[in-house]
């Protein structure tokens, strides 16, 4: 009996000691009160300063690719809303071209699914896809962990983040998720207007009214997406022949549907659409006005083209420009990690 | 002053809890034995079972959620851990755990349940570095079976069975298996391969109705084995 008590006392003391040997400053996901609750459960992966730092280093490390040339940031640049600007289709190792336009990484904590087709169900697991894809990083999580785990920096950062210096797939994915969770854009002109700090110009107000009438059902405020999958009437590119979400669900009703992207920072995230076919917002406006192709999976909101005259198009684009968040785009905390 | 009291209380609470759980638990050993007909399956050489000859190159699968029941099949406890069994790692086929003393039946999940599949990154046997997670689409691969049929005709087979959503869900629970302190459980790979070959399915690499149906068949093949 006494022996057991001593053992338990000892174990308790050990636990207390262990919890004091490593400790990382907890971080809170900060966002406007009016926003919905995030979809990501941070109780399972609590944000810490060290966890975010580890994730940020991984995000910028080309060792994640087979030939050490491509990092996450190669296709997701911070100052272009974390997408591959000026590339319709993103390219990976050996200059191989993929089949889709790299999506922006903005407000991911609210995403219920990932990738244009929703093939990935959780932010933690998203990184596995580009790491493994032969046209992107061409490696595997097993290979990457083997490569990075002996690195003394990663050992230190991993210990600081998770109390264990042995980098595993789980830690790597959780740290990458932590960094990406911090990519919150909530300080655009639109947000400042919502908070009553500034007022819109007459043109921006007209554009906002048009937006609410014609776009908001899918690109729903405040995140500017409702997370659903829709066919927005793009003609089928016969070369790519991309059936979108149907490849995941194997359900005909999902043929050629893609996830509704957020419009935040759209000024900086060109080109547009899942295959990057439109280079400018005016091309996008023209598509919704007169380019919709009918098909049996077309979004019902688009069965009648969106009527916009030339002035209205300009007003709408003026509103979309209010979604640019320069503080987000040029936040040094999101850039290449150095000096720590 | 307040802290030592809390500490003392929590130590006694711990003591109480550990004493309680220790009196009820007994050690328990499970040995899983993949079979080809009447012989133990291995990845060495060609094995005959019935009219067919096989060569097996890979056999890995997840078992999870071990549940212990009393003689009336009333649930006593659940162990929510997952195990990755690999025919090439004999230790992985041998599971040592504890069971409630009066447990007389066991069931277990074959594969990984849907909740786990949508809950993000996991460690241990569930770490994606174990090679049992799809990368292009979320989800664990519950069962990997690879090799060749070498008679009546030569044909490569590759079954990666998994999927957690809707009718493509591939997680199944075993039948009730009577247990004592140790138990041997066989799973007939030859029977599974016969079923797959009978419907001329040789390759499955993603969730589908066929994958769900074959996963169900695989889970039904776990039976107590008298060695």
């Amino acid at each position: 009996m006494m022996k057991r008590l001593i053992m338990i006392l000892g174990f308790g003391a050990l636990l207390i000691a262990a919890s004091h040997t490593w400790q990382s400053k907890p971080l809170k996901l900060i966002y406007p009160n009016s926003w919905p609750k995030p979809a990501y459960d941070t109780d399972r992966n609590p944000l810490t300063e060290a966890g975010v730092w580890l994730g940020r280093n991984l995000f910028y490390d080309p060792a994640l690719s087979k030939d050490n040339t491509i990092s996450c940031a190669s296709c997701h640049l911070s100052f272009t809303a974390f997408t591959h600007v000026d590339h319709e289709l993103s390219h990976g190792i050996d200059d191989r071209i993929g089949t889709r336009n790299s999506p922006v990484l903005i407000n991911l904590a609210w995403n219920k699914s990932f990738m244009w087709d929703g093939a990935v169900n959780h932010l933690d697991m998203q990184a596995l896809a580009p790491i493994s894809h032969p046209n992107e990083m061409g490696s595997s999580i097993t290979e990457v962990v083997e490569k990075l785990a002996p690195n003394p920096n990663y050992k230190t950062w991993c210990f600081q983040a998770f109390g264990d210096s042995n980098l595993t797939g789980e830690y790597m994915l959780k740290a990458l998720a932590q960094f990406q969770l911090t990519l919150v854009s909530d300080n655009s002109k639109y947000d400042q207007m919502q908070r009553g700090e500034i007022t819109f110009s007459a043109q921006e107000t007209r554009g906002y009214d048009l937006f609410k009438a014609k776009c908001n059902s899918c690109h729903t405020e405040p995140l500017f997406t409702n997370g659903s999958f829709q066919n927005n009437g793009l003609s089928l590119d016969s070369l790519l022949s991309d059936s979108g979400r149907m490849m995941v669900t194997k359900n005909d009703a999902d043929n050629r549907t893609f996830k509704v992207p957020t419009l935040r920072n759209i000024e900086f995230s060109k080109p547009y659409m899942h295959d990057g076919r439109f280079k400018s917002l005016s091309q996008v406006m023209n598509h919704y006005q007169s380019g919709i192709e009918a098909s049996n999976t077309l979004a019902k909101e688009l069965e009648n083209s969106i009527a916009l005259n030339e002035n209205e198009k300009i007003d709408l684009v003026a509103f979309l420009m209010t979604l640019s968040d320069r503080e987000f785009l040029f936040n040094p905390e999101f850039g290449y990690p150095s000096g720590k | 002053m307040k802290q030592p009291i809390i500490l003392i209380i929590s130590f006694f609470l711990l003591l109480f809890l550990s004493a309680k759980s220790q009196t009820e638990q007994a050690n328990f050993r499970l040995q899983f034995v993949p079979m080809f007909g009447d012989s133990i399956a291995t990845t060495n050489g060609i094995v005959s079972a019935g009219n067919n000859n096989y060569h097996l190159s890979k056999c890995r699968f997840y078992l999870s959620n071990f549940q212990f029941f009393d003689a009336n099949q009333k649930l006593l406890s659940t162990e929510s851990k997952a195990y990755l069994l690999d025919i090439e790692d004999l230790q992985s086929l041998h599971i040592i755990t504890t069971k409630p003393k009066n447990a007389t039946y066991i069931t277990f999940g074959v594969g990984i349940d849907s909740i786990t599949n949508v809950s993000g990154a996991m460690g241990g046997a569930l770490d994606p570095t174990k090679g049992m997670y799809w990368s292009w689409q979320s989800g664990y691969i519950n069962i990997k079976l690879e090799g060749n049929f070498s008679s009546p005709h030569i044909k490569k087979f590759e079954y990666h069975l998994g999927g957690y959503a809707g009718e493509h869900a591939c997680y199944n629970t075993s039948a009730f298996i009577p247990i004592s302190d140790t138990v041997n459980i066989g799973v007939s790979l030859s029977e599974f391969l016969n079923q797959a070959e009978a419907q001329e399915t040789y390759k499955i690499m993603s969730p589908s109705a066929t994958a769900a149906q074959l996963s169900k068949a695989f889970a039904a093949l776990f039976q107590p084995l008298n060695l």
Side-chain angles (χ1 to χ4, degrees):
Chain A
M1 185 64 196
M2 199 55 205
K3 209 171 165 188
R4 180 182 286 166
L5 184 66
I6 291 167
M7 262 180 65
I8 289 166
L9 278 169
F11 183 64
L14 256 176
L15 262 179
I16 292 163
S19 65
H20 278 265
T21 49
W22 72 278
Q23 208 166 41
S24 177
K25 198 176 150 206
L27 291 179
K28 240 189 114 180
L29 199 61
I30 299 163
Y31 57 90
N33 290 331
S34 56
W35 285 20
K37 262 185 70 137
Y40 193 96
D41 178 7
T42 46
D43 288 347
R44 294 189 64 98
N45 182 19
L47 258 65
T48 64
E49 209 173 72
V52 171
W53 174 256
L54 172 61
R56 186 172 158 199
N57 277 277
L58 289 165
F59 190 87
Y60 282 92
D61 194 336
L64 266 63
S65 63
K66 188 166 196 67
D67 60 2
N68 304 317
T69 58
I70 304 278
S71 73
C72 304
S74 302
C75 294
H76 300 283
L77 285 82
S78 64
F79 43 86
T80 58
F82 290 96
T83 182
H84 206 173
V85 77
D86 282 346
H87 285 79
E88 299 91 89
L89 306 172
S90 295
H91 57 73
I93 57 166
D94 303 332
D95 290 336
R96 287 181 217 164
I97 305 283
T99 59
R100 293 193 184 145
N101 177 12
S102 67
V104 294
L105 308 183
I106 300 170
N107 300 335
L108 295 175
W110 287 265
N111 274 23
K112 293 174 206 76
S113 65
F114 300 84
M115 317 302 269
W116 283 104
D117 56 13
V120 173
N121 66 23
H122 197 286
L123 179 58
D124 290 359
M125 302 331 240
Q126 197 282 330
L128 293 172
I131 288 171
S132 311
H133 199 289
N135 290 342
E136 296 179 51
M137 296 162 122
S139 185
S140 72
I141 182 88
T142 314
E143 198 177 272
V144 171
V145 167
E146 271 172 20
K147 198 157 45 169
L148 298 183
N151 179 314
N153 282 337
Y154 280 114
K155 277 186 186 297
T156 308
W157 297 330
C158 191
F159 183 81
Q160 288 166 347
F162 299 108
D164 182 354
S165 61
N166 184 28
L167 185 72
T168 62
E170 179 193 15
Y171 295 148
M172 186 176 145
L173 296 175
K174 283 187 163 167
L176 274 167
Q178 285 194 30
F179 171 61
Q180 293 174 84
L181 286 168
T182 65
L183 306 178
V184 176
S185 175
D186 63 356
N187 199 22
S188 63
K189 193 170 184 184
Y190 162 84
D191 297 300
Q192 292 165 1
M193 185 277 291
Q194 291 291 344
R195 294 196 297 262
E197 294 164 12
I198 54 135
T199 49
F200 272 175
S201 70
Q203 186 181 41
E204 287 162 350
T205 306
R206 286 197 303 273
Y208 186 30
D209 289 340
L210 282 167
F211 174 83
K212 283 189 284 193
K214 296 176 190 289
C215 317
N216 201 32
S217 59
C218 289
H219 295 285
T220 314
E221 297 168 84
L223 297 161
F224 292 89
T225 170
N226 62 4
S228 69
F229 297 89
Q230 304 290 345
N231 175 349
N232 66 344
L234 295 169
S235 58
L236 187 69
D237 182 321
S238 58
L239 199 65
L240 299 170
S241 194
D242 195 337
S243 58
R245 179 134 180 91
M246 193 176 90
M247 297 207 291
V248 177
T249 61
K250 299 183 172 108
N251 182 349
D252 292 342
D254 295 323
N255 190 22
R256 289 162 65 183
T257 65
F258 295 88
K259 195 159 68 179
V260 176
T262 180
L263 304 182
R264 284 183 172 273
N265 299 298
I266 193 167
E267 179 186 359
F268 292 87
S269 65
K270 62 177 168 281
Y272 307 109
M273 306 297 152
H274 66 273
D275 54 5
R277 69 176 66 185
F278 299 136
K279 288 175 181 55
S280 68
L281 286 173
S282 63
Q283 286 180 325
V284 174
M285 296 296 129
N286 290 340
H287 166 72
Y288 284 113
Q289 185 195 29
S290 56
I292 304 277
E293 187 183 278
S295 68
N296 49 11
T297 58
L298 179 67
K300 62 178 181 343
E301 290 85 351
L302 297 175
E303 278 165 9
N304 300 313
S305 292
I306 296 176
L308 289 169
N309 64 36
E310 289 310 306
N311 286 335
E312 286 173 330
K313 281 191 221 171
I314 294 166
D315 292 346
L316 195 48
V317 170
F319 167 70
L320 293 175
M321 297 295 179
T322 71
L323 301 178
S324 299
D325 177 356
R326 281 172 177 75
E327 188 185 276
F328 170 82
L329 296 166
F330 302 105
N331 187 337
E333 293 291 312
F334 301 156
Y336 185 84
S338 55
K340 202 165 181 177
Chain B
M1 193 56 211
K2 217 173 174 183
Q3 224 176 6
I5 293 170
I6 293 171
L7 277 178
I8 288 165
I9 292 172
S10 48
F11 286 145
F12 276 100
L13 199 69
L14 260 174
L15 181 72
F16 171 71
L17 285 175
S18 67
K20 191 174 185 288
S21 58
Q22 270 174 24
T23 51
E24 285 181 351
Q25 294 290 310
N27 289 330
F28 178 55
R29 293 152 54 102
L30 273 154
Q31 177 73 51
F32 285 91
V33 191
M35 301 290 289
F36 261 143
D38 296 330
S39 10
I40 295 172
T42 71
T43 48
N44 299 323
I46 292 168
V47 189
S48 303
N51 296 325
N52 289 328
N53 290 337
Y54 309 95
H55 172 255
L56 186 69
S57 58
K58 187 175 275 181
C59 170
R60 311 176 86 203
F61 54 90
Y62 277 116
L63 299 179
S64 61
N65 298 323
F66 284 75
Q67 293 199 304
F68 297 95
F69 298 84
D70 70 9
N72 300 318
Q73 298 193 349
K74 184 177 155 263
L75 179 64
L76 298 172
S77 70
T78 301
E79 187 192 286
S80 54
K81 199 176 162 189
Y83 295 90
L84 176 56
L85 286 76
D86 184 340
I87 199 170
E88 292 189 289
D89 173 9
L90 291 179
Q91 257 186 333
S92 74
L93 302 175
H94 192 184
I95 293 173
I96 300 171
T97 179
T98 56
K99 69 172 181 69
K101 254 204 163 130
N102 56 335
T104 42
Y105 291 99
I106 190 176
T107 66
F108 47 84
V110 181
I112 301 301
D113 61 35
S114 60
I115 300 272
T116 309
N117 264 294
V118 297
S119 301
M122 309 270 171
L126 293 173
D127 195 300
T129 53
K130 303 285 179 197
M132 296 290 279
Y133 196 93
W134 275 305
S135 57
W136 49 276
Q137 176 172 8
S138 293
Y140 283 97
I141 303 166
N142 292 333
I143 301 161
K144 264 191 187 179
L145 262 182
E146 296 173 15
N148 299 296
F149 296 104
S150 47
S151 84
H153 46 261
I154 295 174
K155 192 100 191 172
K156 198 176 153 191
F157 62 81
E158 207 169 356
Y159 304 112
H160 291 186
L161 306 180
Y164 61 89
E167 58 198 33
H168 295 166
C170 286
Y171 175 78
N172 294 282
T173 304
S174 72
F176 282 89
I177 294 172
I179 53 167
S180 52
D181 291 344
T182 70
V183 66
N184 297 313
I185 298 175
V187 53
S188 176
L189 302 183
S190 46
E191 180 55 38
F192 173 83
L193 292 172
N194 286 343
Q195 288 189 27
E197 198 192 15
Q199 49 175 288
E200 293 182 27
T201 302
Y202 298 100
K203 188 169 180 169
I204 296 180
M205 306 296 276
S206 63
S208 68
T210 313
Q213 179 245 320
L214 283 175
S215 299
K216 204 169 172 185
F218 189 84
L221 293 170
F222 286 85
Q223 280 173 358
L225 190 70
N226 295 315
L227 283 179

